[in-house]
Amino acid sequence: MKVDPYEKAWMVAAVVLLTVFVATVVVSATAQGLHPPSHVETIDPVTCRSDPRFAELGVFDLEDGSVEVVMLAQVWAFLPGEVHVPAGVPVVFRMTSPDVIHGVQVVGTNVNATVIPGYVTEVVTTFERPGEYLILCNEYCGTGHHVMSGKLIVEDEEAGS
Ligand code: CUA
């Protein structure tokens, strides 16, 4: 079969591009450990308030020195509405929703995830800069969406603030 050299070049280029794209997905999913924020951990949205994983909301110290933030995103507030975490240590956010889909964004940081009823969203990050951060819902969730916000205070442990 006779293939025009010009067309052949484009076919080769297309195959090379596709290989690069697939390789990017495979490398990010395996070597870099990227994954959906739910970890596909499921929870019953109807009973999530009494589920042992979410019965107690707030900030908890973990044995390995990191901090866990257990939070509910619901119409139209984050519970608790204000959380205090230390700077410079890993913070594990664990969130779920008892009603509709919400977003959780800590403005000025890399925390930005979707909170879906039926799933547990888990995000791990370390806040290096102490200060006050705004937590926003960035997923339209009803008439009160625009007032759905919270506050994250990153405390400088060494300064004792
Ligand atoms: Cu919750 Cu928008």
Side-chain angles (χ1 to χ4, degrees):
M1 187 175 69
K2 172 87 178 80
V3 180
D4 184 81
Y6 190 63
E7 189 177 356
K8 199 175 196 173
W10 278 109
M11 285 161 67
V12 169
V15 168
V16 167
L17 269 180
L18 280 177
T19 307
V20 168
F21 291 157
V22 171
T24 305
V25 171
V26 170
V27 167
S28 62
T30 55
Q32 299 183 325
L34 295 189
H35 44 68
S38 72
H39 294 249
V40 203
E41 178 183 346
T42 56
I43 187 167
D44 185 346
V46 176
T47 58
C48 69
R49 289 170 208 277
S50 55
D51 186 290
R53 291 169 287 174
F54 285 89
E56 214 178 326
L57 305 174
V59 183
F60 305 95
D61 293 320
L62 300 183
E63 276 175 13
D64 62 1
S66 63
V67 167
E68 184 176 74
V69 177
V70 180
M71 242 188 173
L72 271 188
Q74 62 177 42
V75 287
W76 288 284
F78 294 100
L79 295 180
E82 181 176 325
V83 293
H84 293 246
V85 298
V89 305
V91 178
V92 183
F93 287 88
R94 284 178 54 79
M95 308 189 67
T96 193
S97 164
D99 40 58
V100 298
I101 295 179
H102 298 277
V104 55
Q105 178 176 11
V106 181
V107 178
T109 74
N110 65 346
V111 177
N112 188 348
T114 305
V115 184
I116 304 167
Y119 291 91
V120 176
T121 294
E122 189 171 303
V123 176
V124 184
T125 194
T126 302
F127 301 103
E128 299 295 349
R129 277 183 299 121
E132 191 180 310
Y133 295 83
L134 179 66
I135 305 174
L136 277 184
C137 177
N138 58 11
E139 195 77 51
Y140 183 73
C141 53
T143 52
H145 163 69
H146 62 289
V147 297
M148 183 168 172
S149 67
K151 204 189 278 182
L152 177 87
I153 315 286
V154 178
E155 295 173 332
D156 189 349
E157 296 284 270
E158 279 156 28
S161 64

